[in-house]
Amino acid sequence: MAGRGFGTWLREGVWEIPLRRYLAIVLGVVVTAGLVVAVRTLAHDDRSCAAGVVRPEGGDECVGVSATGYDWGRAPLRPVVRAIDRENRSIKGPYVTVALLEPFTATDADNLGDVLHELQGAYLAQYQANGTVPAIRLVLANPGATGAHWEHTVEQLEGMTGGKDRLRAVAGVGLSTANNKRAVAALTARGIAVIGTSITADNLANGQNGKDPFPGLAR
């Protein structure tokens, strides 16, 4: 073999098999590393919580509008949310949509208890009303525990006024906070009726001094 050249060695397969093995190993490492990076990137970019519900950039709170049985990660709400979902899925004929706007991701026990009571009342009202036509489809709108993401949720609700959703009103609203006031102002400015079930603030009302700053708001 001393008189043979390098080319002869390759032709006879002396180096060909090891070279192929090395290349296969290197290629496998590169592909695996690429898959790991891709999976991590997708996991980082996927900020969805449920249909219609997302985590805004820079936050871990799920906000938006849910038309499914999503309970916002709050166990006390789960039975009522599931009951609403069953009622929605039972609708066969004409319907309109009403959104319940509440801080469904509230962490304070008292606040979450108030949300639960609002949710229970909304479900009972829906259940009683659905003996008539059109039926009521109830969806849950969450602007965040403090209402900080009201703009995102209001824009989503505005997009539901047409098409198959046929959103006609927003109920609830919750506490008379500055963010909720902004949300009501934005909704009524878009021609969406708002029924405030627990609004008490004097500056979140119509008819004072002959002015209606929130056209379409009923308390």
Side-chain angles (χ1 to χ4, degrees):
M1 293 176 64
R4 296 178 184 176
F6 182 73
T8 304
W9 284 35
L10 284 180
R11 285 194 297 273
E12 292 182 358
V14 177
W15 294 97
E16 186 176 2
I17 293 176
L19 183 60
R20 286 181 178 175
R21 289 177 179 172
Y22 296 147
L23 288 174
I25 291 172
V26 172
L27 183 60
V29 171
V30 171
V31 170
T32 302
L35 288 174
V36 170
V37 172
V39 169
R40 287 179 177 175
T41 301
L42 289 173
H44 177 73
D45 291 341
D46 183 10
R47 304 191 64 79
S48 62
C49 302
V53 183
V54 299
R55 292 182 181 89
E57 289 294 334
D60 294 326
E61 191 176 21
C62 296
V63 300
V65 183
S66 173
T68 67
Y70 180 62
D71 61 19
W72 309 92
R74 300 294 183 266
L77 308 182
R78 189 170 303 144
V80 189
V81 170
R82 289 179 176 176
I84 291 171
D85 184 51
R86 287 194 300 270
E87 184 66 21
N88 285 341
R89 288 188 284 108
S90 72
I91 297 173
K92 304 302 181 185
Y95 66 86
V96 294
T97 296
V98 173
L100 182 65
L101 181 69
E102 294 287 345
F104 292 105
T105 48
T107 55
D108 176 78
D110 290 338
N111 199 4
L112 190 62
D114 291 340
V115 172
L116 175 59
H117 295 154
E118 293 278 352
L119 193 61
Q120 291 169 331
Y123 167 65
L124 290 175
Q126 178 197 27
Y127 185 82
Q128 293 175 349
N130 278 357
T132 60
V133 177
I136 302 297
R137 173 177 174 257
L138 188 61
V139 299
L140 309 182
N142 181 33
T146 64
H149 302 287
W150 66 268
E151 289 180 280
H152 171 89
T153 305
V154 166
E155 287 179 6
Q156 199 171 344
L157 289 168
E158 182 183 21
M160 296 174 65
T161 56
K164 66 177 183 179
D165 289 305
R166 298 192 286 277
L167 179 75
R168 295 295 178 265
V170 174
V173 180
L175 299 177
S176 306
T177 64
N179 283 330
N180 282 344
K181 181 179 178 181
R182 296 183 184 103
V184 171
L187 287 166
T188 54
R190 289 165 167 79
I192 301 173
V194 177
I195 300 94
T197 56
S198 56
I199 296 174
T200 57
D202 291 338
N203 62 356
L204 188 49
N206 289 321
Q208 296 190 16
N209 300 319
K211 297 180 180 179
D212 291 331
F214 308 100
L217 170 65
R219 307 206 317 174

